[in-house]
Amino acid sequence: MALFNEKKRGFLAGLFSGMSKVDEDFLDELEEKLILADAGVEVAEYAAEELRNARGVKGEEAIREKLADILTAKMEEAGTDGLNLTTKPSVIVMVGVNGVGKTTTIGKLAGYFHWQGKKVLLAAADTFRAAASEQLGIWAERTGADIVRHGEGGDPGAVVFDACSAAKARGTDIVIVDTAGRLHNKQNLMNELTKITKIVARELPDAACEVLLVLDATTGQNGLIQAEQFARAAGITGIVLTKLDGTAKGGVVFAIAERLGVPVKLVGVGEGVDDLTPFDAREFAEAMLQ
């Protein structure tokens, strides 16, 4: 699966053309490209310094391989575990601002788990956006998932409470909670998100619970700001990076790992139901360098 669109090659592509050794000109260019790709100054300086200190690395392929090692290790500092879905039921709470592809990602996840033979329940806790419940209902029909929903303008906490009760009664394997696409700087909405996660913890105290922040890869450093705010409100356990096929950047992965220590767990690389894949740090690093 291609992580970057063919017309938008990896954001470090072309860096190694014709080179045979690491010199200061190369390291300066490396830092510049990483910063422009939204990786952040700290990560750019770290990568350059690690490569500068590497001994006996010569030739284009050897340098490329060493840089891939360095960047992979940086991403893996935030963790390498996949989704924790070890209990029945397990819960995934999806959070994020409007327009990042959150509901579509929920549909893709529901389909993926359904094909694995899992019983999935969707909780339509986005009661603010017009037709949000209907959109989630369409995904439920497509993927064979159950759904719990209330009327538009209802209490999202009540939806989550009912979904937790239904999951216990129906022998559900995985509950996926859709939340309103909220602006990270709107404190009242962030407080509501905190309430939702508390209800899950109270009603399903033994359940494995993932809180996944969906980020649009094209938003760059603004994605880092979002991640910091959501981490405080909801204790996010992982990132879903969408629209990676629509950008030549994606360096915010490094910035999030550096600043928050939160791993990217899934990446979306297209509109198809199969275009959601577990994040692999090594594959990502190598794709950037192609």
Side-chain angles (χ1 to χ4, degrees):
M1 179 178 292
L3 289 178
F4 297 98
N5 189 298
E6 290 184 1
K7 296 180 180 179
K8 300 177 181 289
R9 303 304 296 168
F11 53 81
L12 297 179
L15 187 63
F16 305 90
S17 180
M19 69 172 302
S20 60
K21 64 178 182 179
V22 175
D23 57 25
E24 289 305 314
D25 288 340
F26 170 81
L27 294 173
D28 287 344
E29 185 179 0
L30 171 62
E31 285 193 42
E32 180 182 1
K33 281 183 174 289
L34 282 169
I35 291 170
L36 289 174
D38 299 316
V41 174
E42 297 91 345
V43 172
E45 291 178 345
Y46 165 84
E49 188 62 21
E50 288 291 300
L51 198 56
R52 181 183 287 112
N53 294 333
R55 302 297 180 184
V57 180
K58 295 181 180 180
E60 180 177 334
E61 287 307 312
I63 296 169
R64 190 194 306 270
E65 185 76 10
K66 183 60 179 179
L67 183 55
D69 291 342
I70 293 167
L71 295 175
T72 299
K74 173 54 66 177
M75 287 183 281
E76 289 181 344
E77 288 179 4
T80 59
D81 293 338
L83 296 177
N84 177 14
L85 304 173
T86 55
T87 63
K88 181 176 180 174
S90 294
V91 181
I92 303 174
V93 180
M94 305 294 285
V95 303
V97 301
N98 288 309
V100 295
K102 179 160 51 63
T103 305
T104 300
T105 299
I106 290 171
K108 291 177 180 179
L109 278 174
Y112 174 74
F113 294 132
H114 177 72
W115 295 326
Q116 287 187 327
K118 303 289 187 181
K119 188 171 184 178
V120 180
L121 185 148
L122 306 183
D126 180 356
T127 60
F128 293 101
R129 182 169 64 87
S133 176
E134 287 77 4
Q135 184 181 0
L136 202 66
I138 291 170
W139 277 111
E141 290 179 7
R142 289 179 181 173
T143 61
D146 292 334
I147 185 169
V148 170
R149 53 186 169 184
H150 291 184
E152 186 175 329
D155 178 13
V159 176
V160 174
F161 176 87
D162 287 351
C164 291
S165 299
K168 289 183 283 189
R170 301 176 190 178
T172 298
D173 293 298
I174 300 169
V175 179
I176 307 177
V177 181
D178 186 19
T179 63
R182 59 204 71 227
L183 296 173
H184 58 276
N185 58 353
K186 298 295 185 182
Q187 191 57 50
N188 59 326
L189 293 177
M190 298 300 279
N191 290 342
E192 179 191 286
L193 187 58
T194 303
K195 175 184 174 183
I196 286 174
T197 57
K198 286 182 177 179
I199 290 171
V200 172
R202 185 188 69 214
E203 298 303 316
L204 297 173
D206 298 322
C209 183
E210 292 275 5
V211 181
L212 300 181
L213 172 61
V214 183
L215 291 178
D216 181 337
T218 66
T219 60
Q221 284 292 303
N222 189 49
L224 178 60
I225 297 171
Q226 293 174 24
E228 290 173 333
Q229 295 289 337
F230 278 101
R232 285 195 287 269
I236 57 175
T237 60
I239 303 292
V240 181
L241 196 64
T242 64
K243 307 179 187 179
L244 193 60
D245 57 315
T247 180
K249 295 187 176 183
V252 71
V253 171
F254 299 104
I256 291 170
E258 173 77 14
R259 194 81 60 87
L260 297 179
V262 177
V264 175
K265 296 200 172 186
L266 299 164
V267 290
V269 293
E271 293 299 321
V273 71
D274 296 327
D275 293 329
L276 184 71
T277 184
F279 180 73
D280 184 290
R282 183 72 191 191
E283 181 184 6
F284 185 83
E286 291 177 348
M288 291 186 313
L289 303 178
Q290 297 304 316

